[in-house]
Structures are given as structure tokens and as C-alpha cells.
Amino acid sequence: MEIDIKLSDFNETILPWLGKTSKLMNMFISDVFHKNNIQITKQQWIVLKILSEKSDGIIQNELACITERNKASLTRLINVMEKNNLVARVPSKLDSRKNLIKITHSGEHLFNITKPIMIASIKAIENNISVDEMNIFLKVMSKIQTNLKINQLN
Amino acid sequence: MEIDIKLSDFNETILPWLGKTSKLMNMFISDVFHKNNIQITKQQWIVLKILSEKSDGIIQNELACITERNKASLTRLINVMEKNNLVARVPSKLDSRKNLIKITHSGEHLFNITKPIMIASIKAIENNISVDEMNIFLKVMSKIQTNLKINQLN
DNA sequence: TTAACATAGTTGCATATGCAACTATGTTAA
DNA sequence: TTAACATAGTTGCATATGCAACTATGTTAA
């Protein structure tokens, strides 16, 4: 019985590549914002983007769901963003358990400033990658997510 | 002048896909370990794997470099692992600034237990992905890392 | 020699994150 | 009605992480 059949191939496996690349990407975005004197993280930016498209606000729990984030984690992310005056918690009138998260004017302003920076960053990240490669990349990502969710149920 | 040309396509972009998938993967691995009553994170596991292949130990800074991690971050990762008796800091005799990080017997034991679990997890994650898709996926990842590193210098 | 510089690692301060247990409020079935 | 259950959000405790400033030690050039 040989258990260690394939672990030698670990480095050519999705797991370490995905982790490393994702971390490098976060650092890259963080660096870009830092160089432009913008105090915001990639995670906050994504929330800001979602909220900028929903002027009525989004229930906190729903926002957690959309961003695939634990509700405890979202609570704290919103805490930081609220502290920095990017978003506001508005209690729902229909259900007092719920909070509507809304982007502030200050948040919208910051988001508008970041738009061209983010577009340029995405272009830089996706440089030299063909449309075909991109399509397969997204397809593989989708399959991975499916695999992760299927197995999660067991 | 239209600045917001492409931000509407953000969701079909590498950036959010990579972030989300990576997070889901970390949660998946964390869940697998949890269900097997193994107290270790994906990050710790990778360090354990690297150390298990280097019985002479690795200089702390080098380990940070290999895992593409900030040296401050590595310091704390090693703190946790040392607390849990998975690794040990051994001061270098040649250069007293340096620490050699070595896996402990307890760490080796835990690593051996996790091997089959990790192999099964990787198989689950890579299920339904063809060899061709895998090759392109790795190629794209490699290109992204190159893009990130090139732009980092500016 | 020794001052200037380089390298290794740690610490303060900060964000992001998850699990489990909790509070508060709303809903539903007997 | 009201007890049991469901849902929304927060808090305690934990890990992982980065930047900047720091200490300690080693190296190098005048």
C-alpha cells in the first residue's frame, strides 16, 4: 500500500497555485491603492462596487451571501467601512432585525476615483492572456467552485 | 470621455473569480481538517509539507520567500505552529541572526495523517477538469503571476 | 578599526476572516 | 395566545496577513 502516490505532484496542483496567485493579486491591488493614496482594500472595493449599483441599499445578510462571506466577517468589514464613512447602516422599517447597508456620498466619491485605477489594474493583470485562455480559465474556476460546493454538503 | 467603459464586465474578470474561488478553497480545506479533528490550517499544512522534505530545516527568511509571505507574517505563522509543537526554531550556529525552522516529530506525525486527506481533497477539487483545461489553467495562473510581478516594480 | 550599510527576525498597529455562542426580533403551529 | 422555531446581526476567541519601525547581528569600505 503506497499512500504517498501523488503528493509529490502537489506543486502542479490547483490548490497551491490558486492560493499563491490570489494572495499576490491582493497584494498587488493593495499596492496600487497605496501608491494612489487611497485607503481601501480590495474587499472593501468590491462591497463598494456592489453598493454603488444598488442605491436602495442591501440587507446585510444578503450582502454577506453575495460576497460569499461569513456574516460575522461581513459585520466587521462593514464596521471598518462605516468607521471610514464609506457606508452606513440603515435599520429596516419593515423588519427591525435587518440592516440596510447603503453607500455614502463619500463612498461614492471614493469609488469614482478608484474606477479608472481598477480598470487599469485589471488590464495589467489580464495582459497577454488570450480570449480562449480566459474562457477556459473561467470555466475551470466555475468547475472548482462547483466541486467545492458539492463536497461541502457531505 | 467615457471612463467606465468596462467596469460593467467586472464580474467576468479574473480578479473576483480568483478571490472568491481561493476563499472557498480555504474554507473547504479548513472544513475537511475540522471534520477529521485535525487542528491545522491550509497555510500551516503547506509549511509542514515543505519542512517535511527538508530534514535539515530552512532559514526563516527563506521559508518566507518560498511561501511568498511577508517575513512578519511568517514570524507569526511559525509562532502558532511552534506553540502547537509542529515546528521548532533552532538558532543557526554560523549566523546568530538566523533561525532554522525544523519540523518536529509531532509535526511529522500530523503531516503523515493529513497526507491521504489532502490527496483526496485535491482530487475532489480537481474533479471533472480535463488535462488540457488543467494545463491552460496553470499557464494562465503563471501569466497572471508574471503580470503581477512585472507591474509591482513600477 | 570602525562607521555605514545590509540582513534576519520581532513587534505595534491595522485589516480580513471563521466558528460558536449569543441577543433581539419575527413567524408558525398547537 | 404562546411556546418552539427561524432569522438577522453581534461578540469572544482564534488564525492569517502586511507595513513600518524596531533590535540585533554581520559585512564592507574608507
Side-chain angles (χ1 to χ4, degrees), chain B residues 9 12 18 24-25 29 39-40 51 67 79 96 105 139:
Chain B
D9 301 330
E12 282 75 47
L18 202 56
L24 287 171
M25 200 180 61
I29 296 294
Q39 271 209 332
I40 193 180
L51 292 177
T67 58
N79 286 349
S96 58
H105 288 299
K139 192 172 148 194

Side-chain angles (χ1 to χ4, degrees), chain B:
Chain B
M1 283 292 284
E2 175 58 271
I3 287 177
D4 191 17
I5 314 173
K6 287 288 175 192
L7 210 54
S8 52
D9 301 330
F10 178 71
N11 293 333
E12 282 75 47
T13 266
I14 282 173
L15 198 137
W17 275 94
L18 202 56
K20 264 194 193 179
T21 313
S22 174
K23 182 159 60 174
L24 287 171
M25 200 180 61
N26 283 342
M27 285 170 68
F28 176 79
I29 296 294
S30 157
D31 196 45
V32 167
F33 283 151
H34 189 256
K35 278 174 182 161
N36 285 278
N37 286 312
I38 294 168
Q39 271 209 332
I40 193 180
T41 63
K42 194 200 75 175
Q43 289 85 340
Q44 290 179 27
W45 187 87
I46 289 175
V47 169
L48 223 46
K49 179 179 179 295
I50 292 167
L51 292 177
S52 75
E53 291 158 1
K54 301 256 184 178
S55 53
D56 293 340
I58 301 183
I59 304 296
Q60 201 168 311
N61 231 3
E62 200 183 330
L63 193 54
C65 190
I66 293 169
T67 58
E68 310 221 41
R69 183 176 275 109
N70 185 291
K71 61 184 180 174
S73 173
L74 190 87
T75 289
R76 276 143 182 160
L77 190 59
I78 295 301
N79 286 349
V80 174
M81 295 181 77
E82 202 173 30
K83 190 185 74 183
N84 295 335
N85 198 27
L86 300 175
V87 302
R89 280 179 168 92
V90 181
S92 166
K93 287 172 187 168
L94 299 172
D95 187 338
S96 58
R97 293 172 306 178
K98 295 181 180 174
N99 281 337
L100 274 167
I101 308 300
K102 292 188 179 183
I103 192 169
T104 61
H105 288 299
S106 172
E108 269 174 11
H109 177 69
L110 185 66
F111 180 66
N112 285 329
I113 291 172
T114 61
K115 272 185 190 175
I117 294 168
M118 213 53 183
I119 290 168
S121 297
I122 289 170
K123 276 183 186 164
I125 292 170
E126 297 186 350
N127 183 39
N128 197 28
I129 294 169
S130 73
V131 175
D132 284 352
E133 286 171 338
M134 188 67 186
N135 284 335
I136 290 174
F137 172 84
L138 292 179
K139 192 172 148 194
V140 170
M141 283 301 208
S142 179
K143 281 185 179 180
I144 295 169
Q145 287 197 9
T146 303
N147 291 340
L148 292 172
K149 284 174 185 169
I150 287 171
N151 286 279
Q152 208 174 3
L153 302 176
N154 300 337

Side-chain angles (χ1 to χ4, degrees), chain A:
Chain A
M1 283 294 282
E2 175 57 271
I3 287 177
D4 190 17
I5 314 174
K6 286 288 176 192
L7 210 53
S8 51
D9 302 330
F10 178 72
N11 292 334
E12 281 75 47
T13 265
I14 282 173
L15 198 137
W17 274 94
L18 202 57
K20 264 194 194 180
T21 313
S22 174
K23 183 160 57 172
L24 287 171
M25 202 181 59
N26 283 342
M27 286 171 67
F28 176 79
I29 297 294
S30 157
D31 195 45
V32 167
F33 282 151
H34 189 257
K35 277 174 183 162
N36 285 277
N37 284 312
I38 294 168
Q39 271 208 330
I40 194 180
T41 63
K42 194 199 75 177
Q43 289 87 340
Q44 290 179 28
W45 187 86
I46 289 176
V47 169
L48 223 47
K49 179 179 180 295
I50 292 168
L51 291 177
S52 74
E53 292 158 0
K54 302 255 183 178
S55 53
D56 293 340
I58 301 183
I59 306 294
Q60 202 168 310
N61 231 4
E62 200 183 330
L63 193 54
C65 190
I66 293 170
T67 58
E68 310 221 43
R69 182 176 276 109
N70 185 291
K71 62 183 179 173
S73 174
L74 190 87
T75 290
R76 277 142 181 161
L77 190 59
I78 296 299
N79 286 349
V80 174
M81 294 180 77
E82 202 173 31
K83 191 185 75 184
N84 295 335
N85 198 27
L86 300 175
V87 303
R89 281 178 168 91
V90 182
S92 166
K93 286 172 187 168
L94 300 172
D95 186 339
S96 58
R97 294 171 304 175
K98 295 182 181 174
N99 281 337
L100 274 166
I101 307 300
K102 292 189 178 182
I103 192 168
T104 61
H105 288 298
S106 172
E108 267 174 12
H109 177 67
L110 186 65
F111 180 66
N112 285 330
I113 291 172
T114 61
K115 272 186 190 174
I117 295 169
M118 212 55 182
I119 291 168
S121 297
I122 288 170
K123 276 184 186 163
I125 291 170
E126 297 186 351
N127 183 40
N128 197 27
I129 295 169
S130 73
V131 175
D132 284 352
E133 286 171 339
M134 188 68 186
N135 284 335
I136 291 175
F137 172 84
L138 292 179
K139 192 172 150 194
V140 170
M141 283 303 208
S142 180
K143 282 186 179 181
I144 295 169
Q145 288 196 10
T146 304
N147 291 339
L148 291 172
K149 284 172 185 170
I150 288 172
N151 286 278
Q152 209 175 0
L153 301 176
N154 300 336

